[in-house]
Amino acid sequence: MSTRLSGRYNSGKPWKTDYAFELSGDGKTMTMTSDTDIAEVSIYTRSAIPEAIRNAPEVRSSLPGGFL
């Protein structure tokens, strides 16, 4: 069974296309297919976030206001 996905950008402009998406039975894989003349298929697989990423120091430029 697939479900439709659509959305809007922060500006309020709608996405160029909608997508059909489907989750695998075990919930570890999501397949998205664009609603375009030539369908684009994207497959996403759930995985743990590596500790090196989770524990990375915060980058100052990512804070509100950026550099001083």
Side-chain angles (χ1 to χ4, degrees), residues 4 18-22 31-36 39-42:
R4 305 296 305 162
D18 291 347
Y19 297 85
F21 76 92
E22 186 173 352
T31 303
M32 293 178 58
T33 306
S34 66
D35 187 21
T36 53
E40 294 181 23
V41 178
S42 300

Side-chain angles (χ1 to χ4, degrees), residues 25-52:
D26 62 5
K28 293 184 178 181
T29 303
M30 177 176 68
T31 303
M32 293 178 58
T33 306
S34 66
D35 187 21
T36 53
D37 292 337
I38 299 175
E40 294 181 23
V41 178
S42 300
I43 300 172
Y44 301 89
T45 304
R46 177 182 286 187
S47 62
I49 300 171
E51 288 299 317

Side-chain angles (χ1 to χ4, degrees), residues 46-65:
R46 177 182 286 187
S47 62
I49 300 171
E51 288 299 317
I53 301 298
R54 294 174 57 104
N55 297 324
E58 190 167 346
V59 177
R60 186 168 182 188
S61 62
S62 70
L63 298 174

